[in-house]
Amino acid sequence: MTLDLLASTISFAGDDNHLNPVKLFLDADIVVQAIMAGLVLASVWVWMIIVTFIVRMGAISRRCDEYEEGFWEAQNFDTYQKERKRGDVPMGKVAGAGLGEFKRNVGPGIDAEGARQRIATILNSSVGEEADKLSDRLNFLATVGSVAPFVGLFGTVWGIMKSFFDIGQQQNSSLAVVAPGISEALFATAIGLFAAIPAVIAYNRFSHKVNGFEARLQRFADHLHAALTRQLEQR
């Protein structure tokens, strides 16, 4: 009932010469309707991920800028780490992992070269872990971008098959009989592309941002590793 009301509302003041998306959905076969509904839900989820990622990435970048500026100005890295509530700051977590491993390798008789390797391993592992957290939901964008057009195409094929079946049942091959069913079927492909195009664009753009941020974390880790190994040599 609600969809019927919506279809009549979008009827462009009673002009039937325009396509009505809601009416196309309501008149489609149940299989095509299910495919359309699934693609619409996927599209909504894609846009939620896009908006969430943009907001989250902006906040993380600002917090990392503030953290890094204060970190290199601090007289003592460990004191700065303890005094600052780093929260969800990837750079702070990388620094915490490196400083923790540094403390475990301080003492008499410690193999300096082994300590350097262990600190480097911990830092690299922490950088990879933070990058994986940022790119966690991007896999869904890649999946929708690659699968949605084919799902929509399946709905189109199914709808066209049904249209030809109706031709056989009615013994009438006029365009007036076939056209509505084909229009409804093609609408499934349109929805699939509507879901896939922003997903592909967002995935490529966000993957580039994550790679750039991972490179930034790696540079920070390299500088921290150099600073910590210098301290090892002085002990």
Side-chain angles (χ1 to χ4, degrees):
M1 181 65 70
T2 304
L3 290 177
D4 290 333
L5 181 61
L6 183 59
S8 62
T9 304
I10 309 178
S11 64
F12 300 97
D15 187 358
D16 293 333
N17 294 323
H18 292 84
L19 286 175
N20 187 326
V22 178
K23 189 173 187 306
L24 287 174
F25 173 81
L26 293 175
D27 293 341
D29 181 76
I30 184 63
V31 175
V32 181
Q33 284 183 344
I35 291 172
M36 289 180 182
L39 290 172
V40 169
L41 290 176
S43 180
V44 171
W45 188 245
V46 162
W47 281 104
M48 288 178 61
I49 292 175
I50 290 173
V51 173
T52 301
F53 184 90
I54 291 173
V55 173
R56 183 186 178 195
M57 197 68 192
I60 287 176
S61 296
R62 288 191 297 271
R63 289 199 296 265
C64 282
D65 289 341
E66 181 184 352
Y67 178 90
E68 186 175 16
E69 181 180 358
F71 186 85
W72 295 123
E73 293 177 354
Q75 298 296 323
N76 185 288
F77 295 154
D78 190 47
T79 301
Y80 177 82
Q81 188 77 354
K82 289 180 179 178
E83 291 177 350
R84 182 180 175 82
K85 293 182 179 179
R86 51 193 172 94
D88 189 22
V89 182
M91 201 165 283
K93 294 181 180 179
V94 171
L99 292 171
E101 184 62 26
F102 173 78
K103 292 178 186 177
R104 287 189 290 271
N105 286 274
V106 173
I110 293 295
D111 178 16
E113 184 59 31
R116 291 190 190 94
Q117 294 179 3
R118 286 189 291 271
I119 293 172
T121 299
I122 289 296
L123 287 171
N124 292 335
S125 176
S126 182
V127 168
E129 182 179 349
E130 294 305 316
D132 288 342
K133 289 179 182 177
L134 284 176
S135 61
D136 182 39
R137 293 187 177 182
L138 298 189
N139 289 334
F140 183 79
L141 297 181
T143 301
V144 172
S146 60
V147 173
F150 295 102
V151 175
L153 183 60
F154 173 76
T156 296
V157 171
W158 183 275
I160 292 175
M161 288 170 55
K162 185 175 184 303
S163 295
F164 280 111
F165 178 78
D166 291 339
I167 291 175
Q169 292 291 100
Q170 300 179 23
Q171 300 295 319
N172 187 349
S173 60
S174 68
L175 190 61
V177 174
V178 181
I182 293 179
S183 297
E184 297 153 11
L186 290 173
F187 189 48
T189 296
I191 296 178
L193 294 174
F194 178 77
I197 291 173
V200 171
I201 295 174
Y203 176 78
N204 291 333
R205 181 60 180 167
F206 293 165
S207 294
H208 178 72
K209 281 185 172 292
V210 170
N211 291 337
F213 189 76
E214 184 178 8
R216 179 185 176 185
L217 286 181
Q218 190 61 58
R219 289 192 297 270
F220 174 80
D222 292 341
H223 293 159
L224 179 59
H225 179 264
L228 295 178
T229 52
R230 280 196 298 270
Q231 293 185 28
L232 282 176
E233 293 172 357
Q234 295 171 2
R235 292 175 182 269

